[in-house]
Amino acid sequence: MRDQEPVPGNTERRLSTKEAAELLGVKPETVYAYVSRGQLSSRRVPGGRGSTFDAGEVEVLARRNKRESGGSSSTGGELSVRTRLTLIDTDRYYFRGVDAAELAARYSYEEVAEWLWTGRLRPGLAFTAPRASVTAARRAVEALPEHTTPTDRLRVAAIAASAADPLRFDLSEEAVLGTARTLIPTLVAALPPVGRGHRDAGPMAHRLWTRLSGTPANEASLRVLDTALALLVDHDLAASTLAVRVAASARAHAYAAVSAGLGVIEGPLHGAASGLAHRLLLDVLDQGSAAPVIADELRAGRRIPGLGHRLYPGEDPRARALFGLLEEIPQAAPALAAARDIVATTARHTPLHANVDLALAVFTASSGMASTAGETIFTVARTAGWIAHALEEYGERPLRMRPSGHYVGPRPPQPLPG
């Protein structure tokens, strides 16, 4: 289990599934969902079919859940940041109070990004990258080794674009919005095209497609890509977004704040999760059934990617929106069937819904894209959200994102090491 503080005196005590569920105030199946998400560890009962759980881990998770639900006092609680951007509530989420899935269904990625930044819609909005910014970013990216990942390229492109902008230290809202509208197309333009006919103009989804797939795009596929970008613009205080706000709190300029997010998003529990789901999906398609693939994953002690989300007890609304569009694409049918097989097979042990990572995997696998394509889509999309959070943070007291450490080491004074 991650990010768990030890509970002295409880390391040997084990709880049954029923006892753990009662302590957590959840159903027994939810306990197994916590295991699948990596929030609890379990141990099989020798000679039996049930599982036991470390009492210390369960108690820590119970306290954490209580704090997150508002049951703690003002001291000792987890970090909470006031924001006007995104609300997640009961298997739906909202951008500035408007249903995000409905926004993504009706408006382009650029229009949704502008809504998040300013609270205004600008129909037909297109982002344009300055020639100097694109040239600097491309030169930096071209100097990287061949095996470099797309996220590496995006990180380097952001730094190069920053160096090409002498006005980057202007933190006024107008200047930061100008940076946002030029940085995103610069990042996309810096990615090497996969096939012929790459585009550096027009809707962002069209430009990005030529960096992800060598096959010609059709309108249905471009609609999925554009919708995915819009859906992924923001998702409250995800790990990368928190890093961006910390950087902005220290008054780092917008490029540096985005770079902080780029340094976090590559983790397998964040932006890279769709790549793991992509490879799992290909294995299922190759084997013809999810059962042996899921069995191998569980035998190796790995969590099943693409399933469950700690913020959505039910279905991830982003996945629901993308699956609905993917059903209209004939070439996505095999991957969709494989995804349903994964969900159904895993549900025999842990009833979890598909999340947006599995939906992205269906899209990338059925579009002839590399396993890293979902991470690229996620990163380009989320850059808009990072800028929105940086803008909010620039309006707050500087250096407020500075929690105090809770020292648990040896009490001083200690003798000098000999």
Side-chain angles (χ1 to χ4, degrees):
M1 188 174 63
R2 300 176 297 279
D3 300 329
Q4 299 279 349
E5 62 265 38
V7 180
N10 264 343
T11 54
E12 297 300 324
R13 189 160 60 93
R14 309 292 299 179
L15 300 177
S16 68
T17 302
K18 180 180 178 182
E19 290 170 330
E22 289 175 350
L23 184 58
L24 290 165
V26 299
K27 297 178 180 179
E29 54 264 30
T30 304
V31 176
Y32 289 105
Y34 286 132
V35 174
S36 177
R37 297 168 190 163
Q39 294 173 278
L40 281 179
S41 59
S42 64
R43 185 187 303 165
R44 286 285 185 182
V45 176
R49 297 181 60 187
S51 297
T52 63
F53 305 86
D54 183 274
E57 287 188 354
V58 175
E59 289 167 5
V60 168
L61 182 59
R63 290 200 300 272
R64 174 173 299 172
N65 288 348
K66 184 179 179 181
R67 289 197 298 263
E68 291 179 349
S69 65
S72 67
S73 66
S74 60
T75 59
E78 293 187 347
L79 180 64
S80 177
V81 178
R82 288 172 33 142
T83 177
R84 296 180 177 88
L85 300 175
T86 301
L87 169 68
I88 299 174
D89 182 45
T90 318
D91 295 337
R92 298 177 72 181
Y93 70 122
Y94 306 84
F95 293 155
R96 293 187 178 271
V98 179
D99 188 287
E102 292 180 9
L103 274 171
R106 181 173 297 186
Y107 299 104
S108 71
Y109 164 65
E110 293 93 324
E111 291 165 344
V112 173
E114 188 74 20
W115 169 257
L116 195 69
W117 294 334
T118 68
R120 297 188 299 272
L121 277 171
R122 295 175 59 188
L125 177 68
F127 295 156
T128 304
R131 184 184 299 273
S133 177
V134 172
T135 299
R138 281 179 173 166
R139 285 176 179 170
V141 167
E142 288 168 359
L144 294 172
E146 187 177 345
H147 64 268
T148 303
T149 69
T151 303
D152 289 330
R153 297 185 181 114
L154 292 171
R155 250 195 314 265
V156 169
I159 294 169
S162 168
D165 183 1
L167 303 180
R168 62 188 178 276
F169 297 104
D170 185 348
L171 302 186
S172 66
E173 181 176 351
E174 183 180 358
V176 174
L177 286 172
T179 296
R181 297 177 186 124
T182 59
L183 176 57
I184 293 172
T186 297
L187 294 179
V188 173
L191 294 172
V194 175
R196 296 180 179 180
H198 70 275
R199 302 177 60 170
D200 290 325
M204 199 58 55
H206 292 224
R207 300 185 224 180
L208 185 57
W209 177 276
T210 60
R211 268 77 183 180
L212 299 176
S213 178
T215 62
N218 55 58
E219 285 303 316
S221 295
L222 286 171
R223 184 185 177 201
V224 175
L225 179 54
D226 185 57
T227 302
L229 289 168
L231 290 167
L232 293 167
V233 161
D234 190 43
H235 206 235
D236 195 32
L237 284 185
S240 57
T241 304
L242 179 58
V244 168
R245 293 199 75 129
V246 171
S249 176
R251 295 305 182 258
H253 55 72
Y255 297 94
V258 167
S259 294
L262 286 166
V264 175
I265 202 167
E266 201 171 16
L269 301 180
H270 197 9
S274 64
L276 301 177
H278 178 111
R279 288 187 282 271
L280 178 74
L281 203 60
L282 293 184
D283 287 343
V284 173
L285 287 168
D286 183 58
Q287 295 266 5
S289 171
V293 179
I294 298 300
D296 287 343
E297 294 293 308
L298 295 176
R299 187 178 297 115
R302 292 188 290 264
R303 65 187 295 272
I304 309 302
L307 299 178
H309 196 289
R310 64 185 296 268
L311 298 179
Y312 298 117
E315 189 174 12
D316 184 336
R318 302 167 299 175
R320 181 170 59 244
L322 291 179
F323 281 134
L325 293 176
L326 287 164
E327 288 174 356
E328 301 174 9
I329 301 177
Q331 68 265 27
L336 273 172
R340 294 190 186 102
D341 194 9
I342 290 170
V343 173
T345 301
T346 310
R348 301 173 195 170
H349 174 67
T350 305
L352 292 175
H353 295 278
N355 62 32
V356 71
D357 298 315
L358 188 59
L360 277 178
V362 170
F363 174 62
T364 55
S366 60
S367 301
M369 298 177 182
S371 62
T372 54
E375 183 177 340
T376 304
I377 296 167
F378 195 106
T379 303
V380 170
R382 191 56 56 87
T383 300
W386 292 338
I387 295 285
H389 280 273
L391 271 170
E392 269 201 337
E393 197 58 41
Y394 291 147
E396 299 286 351
R397 174 175 54 84
L399 293 175
R400 73 187 183 113
M401 309 288 283
R402 176 45 168 100
S404 298
H406 177 59
Y407 180 74
V408 294
R411 300 302 305 173
Q414 295 287 321
L416 287 171

